[in-house]
Amino acid sequence: MNRQNDLITDILLASVKYADRPSMVIEETTYTYAGLFEKVWSICACIRSVKPNVIGIMAENTVETYASVLAVLFAGKTYVILHPSYPDSRNLQIIRQAGIEVLLHDGSVPVGFARSEGVVCISVSGEAIPVSAEPYYMTHAETDAYIIFTSGSTGEPKGVPISRSNLNAFYRAYSQLGWKLDETDRMLQMFELTFDVSVVSFLYPLTLGACVYTVSSGGLKYLNVLDIMERHSLTFAAVAPSVLRLSRPYFNEISLPALKYLVVTAEASDVNIISEFRRCIPNASVVNLYGPTEATIYCTAYSIPYHDCKHHNGMVAIGRPFHGMEIVIADEEGNPLPSGQTGELWVGGAQVMAGYWKNPQKSAECLVATADGKVYYRTGDLCYQDADGDIFYCGRKDTQVKVQGFRIELAEIEYRVKQYYDNKTNAVVIPLYEEDGHCNLHLVLERPSDDTAALEQFLQNELPPYMLPRRIHFMNSFPLNASSKTDRKKIMQLI
């Protein structure tokens, strides 16, 4: 196929060339490219004349949801994903921040909270949309393709807008990683649509004419992932390392000979688990991909060898920058550090966002222009680079952590807890890591031991499930460090 280096154009070309081939398998139902795009053009006809540019989509594991994403992109608009498992209050925060006036949904989940905000809710289920519509496609490079809202330290989600120019820069670089894939491949999409890895897991296969297999949210997700990979003989899978960690007891029973590529992503990858899992994927190349949401999904890659895998304290190296991306490892003053020295990783290039959504102050804190006019995003990740040019991840320099692949501001959880106690109780959230790198959140309260049922219910109403603390501890008083600040390291030791 003659690829155009424009993601949306290439999907359109593939949809015509491979009209009769399977495009997606969702909940064991197969949809051809022709069937998928009949829904896409119908939804596109519903929204292309609406005035708002930002369109909300309620995420469900249905063909209507995925068709809605494509329809918004083809209509030249910007999509924002809302998740039905998130509290209504959080979805409303995102609606207000993004200025969402239109919400697409498949009719299977309640959207009354959005209607109460004055949002026009359009059901895109089969019988509620036009049965046919002519293909329609428009795009402008600087129009945002999507906005992803991540955790924010003040209790307000933080919007990361990714333009079509950013997305195409990523697409060109990702395509140059050497994948040998075509329309016969079967590729996994296991990530929530609120998480940016879902973008490439869903859209990239469609540029090839390949088939995307999505994962049901019901039951144990990691078992669903393994079941789909094995039963459908998938050839490409991008997974969070937690999938491998949880499936470790079953490695002797797992056999995936059809798999050509395994991508590990979203969290630090444990070198030992990767090594052990090799026996399950005898024919697969394994690649570690890293990137912050602000730099469009991934921006570095490391092909993990069978032997002598590079790592730092058991965490697999994150490799070298994508084509068109540059990195700097900087000290506290912003001076570049030589190889071997640890500092903050800065990433620059065409994949980096222009700035946070309607938040110039936060943008100024995280985007820095160097003397040569280049703009870098300060990732907050501590890294170093070896003499070969490979980058090693060493942890965070701030209070952000990753849980299930989602980047979390610990301060946001603390903010909600203090809100519950009318700011009369101090609280800290401590991330505790297991040997394989899995992160568990522990909430510590500076107050006498008490029943936590009401607090837990409050947090469930305010925060997504992945942000909820696993355990709650009590201390009569927090230890202080030499600067008379709460000593988080000491608290970590004490619990």
Side-chain angles (χ1 to χ4, degrees):
M1 188 174 72
N2 181 26
R3 299 170 75 81
Q4 305 295 312
N5 288 325
D6 177 88
L7 180 76
I8 308 305
T9 300
D10 283 348
I11 291 174
L12 178 60
L13 292 172
S15 73
V16 175
K17 183 173 182 178
Y18 303 111
D20 296 328
R21 289 194 61 83
S23 65
M24 302 193 75
V25 175
I26 304 173
E27 303 286 1
E28 300 304 315
T29 299
T30 301
Y31 301 89
T32 64
Y33 275 83
L36 171 64
F37 273 81
E38 181 180 0
K39 294 180 183 293
V40 171
W41 299 131
S42 296
I43 298 169
C44 196
C46 290
I47 63 171
R48 67 188 184 192
S49 60
V50 302
K51 290 184 179 180
N53 193 57
V54 180
I55 306 291
I57 300 173
M58 183 60 79
E60 282 291 289
N61 188 38
T62 64
V63 69
E64 287 82 7
T65 293
Y66 286 100
S68 295
V69 170
L70 289 167
V72 172
L73 292 173
F74 279 107
K77 297 182 182 293
T78 305
Y79 75 85
V80 176
I81 297 292
L82 303 178
H83 202 285
S85 73
Y86 292 2
D88 288 353
S89 59
R90 190 172 191 82
N91 281 327
L92 283 171
Q93 283 181 310
I94 293 171
I95 284 172
R96 291 163 186 156
Q97 282 196 53
I100 294 171
E101 297 178 31
V102 174
L103 175 65
L104 306 180
H105 65 100
D106 70 358
S108 64
V109 294
V111 291
F113 71 92
R115 288 197 180 95
S116 68
E117 192 71 11
V119 175
V120 176
C121 298
I122 301 175
S123 172
V124 293
S125 59
E127 67 280 0
I129 56 177
V131 294
S132 64
E134 291 185 4
Y136 176 87
Y137 168 47
M138 64 174 293
T139 185
H140 301 288
E142 297 314 312
T143 300
D144 292 325
Y146 59 84
I147 307 170
I148 283 185
F149 283 83
T150 65
S151 176
S153 59
T154 62
E156 290 286 324
K158 188 170 54 183
V160 180
I162 297 299
S163 70
R164 288 154 195 268
S165 177
N166 293 147
L167 189 57
N168 278 328
F170 163 80
Y171 173 50
R172 290 189 292 270
Y174 185 77
S175 299
Q176 293 179 41
L177 292 180
W179 314 115
K180 291 181 173 58
L181 299 165
D182 59 27
E183 71 275 10
T184 64
D185 282 289
R186 300 171 298 280
M187 304 172 71
L188 180 71
Q189 198 312 80
M190 65 153 284
F191 296 96
E192 287 187 10
L193 293 176
T194 52
F195 185 39
D196 65 346
V197 177
S198 70
V199 177
V200 62
S201 297
F202 165 45
L203 295 180
Y204 184 71
L206 299 184
T207 69
L208 306 168
C211 187
V212 180
Y213 289 74
T214 71
V215 178
S216 173
S217 57
L220 295 174
K221 190 168 187 177
Y222 78 96
L223 292 179
N224 293 339
V225 168
L226 294 170
D227 175 63
I228 288 174
M229 289 174 66
E230 198 160 29
R231 204 155 37 81
H232 292 285
S233 298
L234 298 197
T235 59
F236 185 104
V239 303
S242 57
V243 169
L244 305 185
R245 177 181 62 84
L246 292 168
S247 62
R248 201 174 196 170
Y250 311 105
F251 281 2
N252 289 332
E253 304 169 28
I254 299 169
S255 178
L256 302 167
L259 197 69
K260 296 195 290 190
Y261 298 101
L262 176 72
V263 169
V264 285
T265 185
E267 302 168 297
S269 299
D270 180 87
V271 64
N272 293 317
I273 290 181
I274 299 295
S275 178
E276 291 174 27
F277 193 64
R278 291 274 192 183
R279 70 171 77 102
C280 306
I281 50 170
N283 302 309
S285 300
V286 185
V287 184
N288 189 28
L289 294 180
Y290 159 91
T293 301
E294 290 83 351
T296 314
I297 311 171
Y298 306 132
C299 61
T300 75
Y302 177 67
S303 293
I304 303 175
Y306 275 88
H307 304 289
D308 302 320
C309 172
K310 293 183 178 182
H311 65 92
H312 173 81
N313 291 339
M315 295 185 291
V316 176
I318 61 175
R320 302 180 188 184
F322 277 15
H323 178 77
M325 296 296 286
E326 298 181 22
I327 68 103
V328 171
I329 294 175
D331 64 16
E332 291 290 342
E333 286 71 45
N335 302 308
L337 292 169
S339 61
Q341 292 194 25
T342 301
E344 183 182 12
L345 178 65
W346 296 4
V347 295
Q351 293 180 211
V352 175
M353 66 172 186
Y356 288 106
W357 180 255
K358 297 181 180 179
N359 195 338
Q361 180 179 350
K362 189 66 178 176
S363 300
E365 292 173 7
C366 296
L367 295 172
V368 58
T370 55
D372 56 7
K374 296 178 180 177
V375 175
Y376 291 86
Y377 169 68
R378 302 176 59 175
T379 67
D381 290 331
L382 294 173
C383 298
Y384 68 89
Q385 196 169 22
D386 69 7
D388 297 329
D390 284 314
I391 307 164
F392 295 74
Y393 172 78
C394 304
R396 293 289 302 175
K397 65 170 290 189
D398 53 22
T399 59
Q400 286 187 354
V401 297
K402 273 197 172 182
V403 176
Q404 300 173 27
F406 291 93
R407 197 173 62 199
I408 293 171
E409 290 271 8
L410 299 181
E412 178 174 3
I413 305 171
E414 294 166 358
Y415 173 87
R416 293 298 179 195
V417 174
K418 292 174 184 176
Q419 188 180 47
Y420 173 80
Y421 286 110
D422 294 326
N423 290 312
K424 295 176 181 177
T425 292
N426 201 4
V428 298
V429 177
I430 301 294
L432 296 182
Y433 293 88
E434 298 178 10
E435 289 184 4
D436 57 14
H438 178 67
C439 179
N440 292 315
L441 300 179
H442 290 243
L443 170 62
V444 188
L445 301 172
E446 193 176 34
R447 60 182 288 119
S449 181
D450 194 9
D451 180 38
T452 60
L455 170 61
E456 291 174 26
Q457 185 60 56
F458 173 81
L459 294 177
Q460 288 172 18
N461 292 337
E462 297 293 328
L463 299 171
Y466 62 85
M467 291 181 68
L468 297 175
R470 182 172 179 177
R471 285 191 59 188
I472 299 177
H473 308 260
F474 297 88
M475 288 185 179
N476 289 328
S477 61
F478 285 166
L480 303 178
N481 59 22
S483 302
S484 296
K485 296 180 180 179
T486 298
D487 192 334
R488 290 174 178 266
K489 290 183 179 179
K490 184 65 174 177
I491 292 173
M492 184 181 294
Q493 293 170 1
L494 292 172
I495 67 168

